[in-house]
Amino acid sequence: MVISMKLLEGKKVAQALDETMTKRVEELKKKGVTPGLAVILVGDNSASAVYVRNKKRRAEKLGIDFQLIHFDATVTEDELLKKIDELNHDENVDGFIVQLPVPDHIDEDKVIEAIDPRKDVDGFTPISVGNLWIGTPLTKPATASGILMMLDHYNVDLDGKNVVIVGRSNIVGKPTAALMLDRNATVTITHSHTKNLKEITSKADVLVVAIGKAKFITKEYVKDQAIVVDVGMDRDENGKLCGDVDFDDVKQKAAMMTPVPGGVGPMTITALVDQVIELAEGRANG
């Protein structure tokens, strides 16, 4: 069955939302408040450096005050925790993140737990996760939130939909499930130990894939006219950037699908900066 598929173009959605977010920042500045985002980067992980650079570029484009704190890989855990405490108490910083991973000599859990949940724009602290699951989030994990923002833009109504998420990570799978439950979707999370995966995914109205396996999902896994959200960022056998979904194969069946690149990635940063602006609005009004 050949279907005319619609692309879920996160890059274009992000560009469209920039205008609104820029106006929100301008209104805040009229009130004497400039949204502030800080990022702590430890060491010289090349992928982390790229992610941070993209966040900086986007924040500054919107007029957000961006602060990068870059430590050498030899920084002690105590020094890092001290800086986190300073940011927790800095009134000009509305939100901040510690770019993961951190070096092995630093306890990642201790670092995450040290972040004030009210400034946790990654949504990783235990308190943030708990609030997310009881439906009262202070902040929302950026990738999951970005997926919802993109689906909203394309008027995808999740109410009553059968949603299947492939992947149970704390960064994507679990928080995406929580946010979709809040939209009254019926959510199933699958993972590497799931039996009869094809049987489950092929019943999904909305299929979200985040497993880090290039082109793993083929058309046999997909229901006719399903909406497919590919969170993967992989390389194929030719070294070309691709997702966890075999795009050329699945486009024959899907009604809507994200491309890779240009799909979920840009929306992750959009959700992050949107959250910083929202926190600044709370500061201006509070």
Side-chain angles (χ1 to χ4, degrees), residues 25-255:
V25 172
E26 289 171 352
E27 287 301 312
L28 282 167
K29 289 183 176 180
K30 289 177 185 177
K31 298 177 181 178
V33 173
T34 299
L37 169 64
V39 176
I40 297 176
L41 178 63
V42 182
D44 298 304
N45 182 293
S46 58
S48 292
V50 170
Y51 295 144
V52 170
R53 188 162 61 245
N54 289 339
K55 289 165 186 167
K56 179 178 187 290
R57 185 183 300 128
R58 191 72 178 284
E60 291 181 341
K61 177 185 176 185
L62 297 173
I64 294 171
D65 182 32
F66 183 89
Q67 182 183 164
L68 172 62
I69 301 104
H70 192 177
F71 288 108
D72 289 336
T74 56
V75 68
T76 67
E77 183 176 277
D78 284 345
E79 287 174 310
L80 181 55
L81 292 173
K82 182 181 177 183
K83 175 52 70 173
I84 290 171
D85 187 60
E86 286 176 15
L87 294 175
N88 283 340
H89 292 92
D90 188 336
E91 293 182 356
N92 294 315
V93 174
D94 295 289
F96 69 94
I97 67 173
V98 178
Q99 187 68 49
L100 303 176
V102 291
D104 291 340
H105 68 277
I106 295 173
D107 186 334
E108 189 173 287
D109 289 338
K110 191 181 289 187
V111 166
I112 291 171
E113 289 171 15
I115 299 169
D116 186 335
R118 294 168 296 183
K119 295 190 176 190
D120 174 27
V121 287
D122 256 344
F124 287 170
T125 69
I127 291 174
S128 298
V129 173
N131 282 323
L132 179 69
W133 278 100
I134 64 172
T136 58
L138 297 171
T139 58
K140 301 172 185 176
T143 300
S145 183
I147 290 170
L148 269 289
M149 291 172 74
M150 179 176 60
L151 293 177
D152 286 345
H153 180 86
Y154 285 101
N155 298 312
V156 175
D157 183 7
L158 293 169
D159 196 307
K161 293 292 193 302
N162 183 21
V163 174
V164 175
I165 299 171
V166 185
R168 56 178 169 180
S169 73
N170 291 331
I171 298 173
V172 182
K174 292 175 184 175
T176 302
L179 291 178
M180 289 191 169
L181 280 170
D182 279 348
R183 298 293 187 90
N184 297 318
T186 300
V187 182
T188 302
I189 301 178
T190 66
H191 45 79
S192 58
H193 290 249
T194 299
K195 304 285 194 297
N196 304 317
L197 183 62
K198 286 182 185 178
E199 183 181 327
I200 297 168
T201 59
S202 61
K203 294 176 182 175
D205 301 311
V206 179
L207 180 62
V208 180
V209 189
I211 51 173
K213 293 185 178 181
K215 299 183 179 180
F216 180 83
I217 297 294
T218 55
K219 63 185 179 184
E220 291 79 19
Y221 288 82
V222 180
K223 176 183 177 180
D224 283 337
Q225 301 203 54
I227 296 166
V228 181
V229 178
D230 188 353
V231 188
M233 190 69 73
D234 314 298
R235 297 279 176 182
D236 65 15
E237 63 277 6
N238 300 312
K240 184 181 178 183
L241 202 60
C242 69
D244 293 344
V245 177
D246 188 332
F247 185 90
D248 290 333
D249 193 44
V250 171
K251 71 180 181 182
Q252 303 172 43
K253 295 182 78 173

